[in-house]
Amino acid sequence: MVTLVYDVVREEEKALIRAAERIGMSLKTVRIGDVVDIDGWEPDIYLIRTLSHNKGIIAAAVIEGNGGIAVNSAHAIATSWNKAVTLAMLKNNGLPVPKTQVLFGDSDVEIKGRAIIKVASGSWGRKVALVTSTEEAKLLLKSAENEVFLLQEVIGTGEDIRVFVIEERAVAAMRRIPPQGDWRSNAARGGTTLPQKIDGELEELAVKAAKSVGAFYAGVDILVGDKLYVNEVNGIPEFKALMKTTGVDVARLLLEALKRVRKA
């Protein structure tokens, strides 16, 4: 049995439910509210699709503690949610990543030219800023106490490629172009999305990135500059825009992969 674990029903969860009906797959659903019981979970397969990564990490750990299989695992979700840890894992596996410094608190940094400052845990392009001076960076760091930040070099124009990996295979990809006057390419911020052909280099980078954090499935973000740089790995990735842009039924492919896990 495969169970969909969620807290908020988004378009992705609706797509998964519809896909299960189309392929004749029994898909249970469990909503994670404000209380999670440590006991009472059946040793089944659980697809973690919570909006809250904290809930997702804890739910996955509880499921694994009861002998179940969480997809993604607690380790994969926790690792991918922390961008600093993710970059370290990517670097350890020989993948090209942007030059990055991890900043704790009111760090003493020097900015030469342009740089990106972002929180270590975040999504949708929020809590991310482009800075052009040391004073600007220090002001930003002072305004956000108890946060861990990443200071990264600017790669290209902000254009990137989102590659969706399932079971060590790149199944769909889209190129994301920042809206005019912005440098963030997130579709949630109004960026333009175009279908992206998956060649050997792109698939190798994306699959190795997903494996680096231990993810069964993932959305891998690859920056386009003088070469390709792996920037982030998303352990509970959205795929509404990807399905719309590419026409690939990601929901069905993910469920079919889980059916293979169930039979193994």
Side-chain angles (χ1 to χ4, degrees):
M1 177 66 69
V2 175
T3 299
L4 174 65
V5 179
Y6 70 97
D7 52 1
V8 177
V9 177
R10 297 167 291 177
E11 290 301 316
E12 287 80 3
E13 287 68 55
K14 293 176 182 177
L16 286 162
I17 293 169
R18 290 194 297 268
E21 293 174 350
R22 287 197 305 275
I23 65 176
M25 178 179 177
S26 177
L27 182 68
K28 289 174 59 179
T29 59
V30 170
R31 180 179 177 275
I32 300 296
D34 296 330
V35 178
V36 176
D37 287 328
I38 296 295
D39 300 312
W41 295 78
E42 295 295 326
D44 293 327
I45 297 170
Y46 296 82
L47 177 60
I48 309 299
R49 291 295 312 169
T50 54
L51 179 63
S52 164
H53 279 72
N54 281 333
K55 286 184 178 180
I57 293 165
I58 292 168
V62 168
I63 287 163
E64 291 164 354
N66 281 268
I69 298 174
V71 178
N72 280 312
S73 67
H75 167 78
I77 299 172
T79 301
S80 60
W81 181 235
N82 189 309
K83 295 179 175 65
V85 176
T86 296
L87 284 169
M89 297 297 101
L90 296 173
K91 183 73 174 177
N92 184 54
N93 282 277
L95 290 161
V97 298
K99 292 179 181 176
T100 305
Q101 290 180 301
V102 182
L103 311 178
F104 299 96
D106 187 9
S107 307
D108 186 17
V109 296
E110 183 179 359
I111 305 298
K112 296 179 180 180
R114 301 192 309 159
I116 292 170
I117 292 182
K118 60 185 180 182
V119 292
S121 299
S123 54
W124 305 302
R126 297 183 304 192
K127 294 188 177 181
V128 181
L130 179 68
V131 295
T132 57
S133 69
T134 300
E135 292 72 22
E136 191 178 1
K138 288 185 175 180
L139 184 63
L140 178 64
L141 294 172
K142 280 185 178 180
S143 67
E145 294 183 2
N146 302 318
E147 290 272 20
V148 177
F149 285 91
L150 303 185
L151 176 66
Q152 285 189 326
E153 65 175 328
V154 175
I155 301 293
T157 62
E159 187 173 319
D160 74 353
I161 301 170
R162 162 61 65 90
V163 185
F164 206 92
V165 175
I166 302 175
E167 208 177 17
E168 298 188 19
R169 186 168 69 93
V171 300
M174 65 179 177
R175 185 172 289 249
R176 305 187 297 191
I177 303 169
Q180 188 173 5
D182 203 344
W183 49 272
R184 290 165 293 189
S185 62
N186 305 70
R189 305 195 69 88
T192 300
T193 60
L194 300 170
Q196 173 68 44
K197 181 181 178 181
I198 303 172
D199 60 17
E201 179 188 14
L202 196 60
E203 178 157 37
E204 181 180 3
L205 288 174
V207 169
K208 283 186 69 175
K211 290 176 68 177
S212 294
V213 302
F216 179 85
Y217 81 108
V220 180
D221 295 340
I222 299 177
L223 295 171
V224 180
D226 58 321
K227 63 178 183 179
L228 299 178
Y229 297 84
V230 183
N231 191 38
E232 296 180 8
V233 181
N234 300 274
I236 310 180
E238 296 180 336
F239 50 83
K240 174 182 68 175
L242 181 67
M243 288 179 59
K244 183 178 180 180
T245 300
T246 65
V248 176
D249 193 345
V250 172
R252 178 181 62 82
L253 294 175
L254 181 53
L255 291 180
E256 288 177 343
L258 291 176
K259 286 175 68 175
R260 291 191 288 274
V261 171
R262 186 177 61 181
K263 292 178 180 179

